[in-house]
Amino acid sequence: MNYQVLKHMVDAGLQSFQTISEEEWNYKATPEKWSKKEIIGHLCDSAFTNIRRFVVTQYKENENIVYDQNEWVKIQNYQNVPTDEVISLWKTLNYQIVRVVENIPDEALQRTCDTTKTELQVFTLEFIINDYVEHLQHHLKAI
């Protein structure tokens, strides 16, 4: 995976965020739906979880590292955090991911991690990295 693609996505996202008003960041279509700010918070949580996966999988095979997205977003209360702080956290975490990914040795990309909550299901580090990028693209398009 070309880590420069990820860095470019983050830079482009940061630029596009500047055109979004505070009202748009906070708007919730329904109480159950996430606001744009909560989506960025979710992407922060995803980054936290995936940094752990990207690091741990390099030295420990099949570690179970899961993420309960709704609980994390609710508990961290992103809706009531200043927008600029959530964006800053997202930027910092994703630049850290770029640094981690650019330093992963090729031989480590085939090591595996269990990302499931129930039955064992392992994925290669390479797959998890690519999945993270696709997940990020999906949510950035929604914003």
Side-chain angles (χ1 to χ4, degrees):
M1 185 256 156
N2 183 343
Y3 59 88
Q4 291 297 338
V5 170
L6 179 57
K7 185 175 184 316
H8 175 73
M9 285 174 55
V10 174
D11 292 340
L14 290 168
Q15 192 153 10
S16 72
F17 294 167
Q18 295 174 10
T19 66
I20 301 172
S21 71
E22 193 62 31
E23 294 77 27
E24 290 175 285
W25 279 115
N26 289 307
Y27 174 76
K28 291 173 72 85
T30 68
E32 302 80 37
K33 295 250 184 209
W34 289 342
S35 66
K36 289 181 184 339
K37 189 190 315 185
E38 288 172 312
I39 292 171
I40 294 297
H42 159 66
L43 291 174
C44 290
D45 298 339
S46 176
F48 280 125
T49 302
N50 281 289
I51 287 170
R52 183 161 179 248
R53 289 173 179 160
F54 299 161
V55 171
V56 172
T57 303
Q58 291 186 62
Y59 66 87
K60 190 170 184 181
E61 288 265 1
N62 301 328
E63 183 76 359
N64 181 245
I65 303 173
V66 298
Y67 165 51
D68 189 332
Q69 63 185 20
N70 292 321
E71 289 300 317
W72 278 57
V73 169
K74 182 175 78 175
I75 291 168
Q76 296 209 62
N77 194 25
Y78 287 115
Q79 187 67 13
N80 294 307
V81 175
T83 303
D84 61 334
E85 289 182 24
V86 179
I87 291 171
S88 179
L89 178 61
W90 178 79
K91 173 187 169 184
T92 301
L93 290 167
N94 278 282
Y95 281 169
Q96 180 61 22
I97 286 176
V98 169
R99 284 188 285 280
V100 169
V101 169
E102 74 180 320
N103 288 296
I104 295 174
D106 288 343
E107 62 272 12
L109 292 172
Q110 296 311 306
R111 293 193 180 124
T112 55
C113 179
D114 174 17
T115 63
T116 56
K117 295 177 191 169
T118 54
E119 293 181 31
L120 175 73
Q121 189 175 7
V122 296
F123 298 97
T124 64
L125 186 53
E126 183 174 34
F127 174 87
I128 295 168
I129 293 167
N130 290 329
D131 187 59
Y132 176 79
V133 172
E134 288 175 19
H135 175 253
L136 186 59
Q137 283 176 320
H138 165 76
H139 283 297
L140 291 177
K141 284 180 185 174
I143 293 174

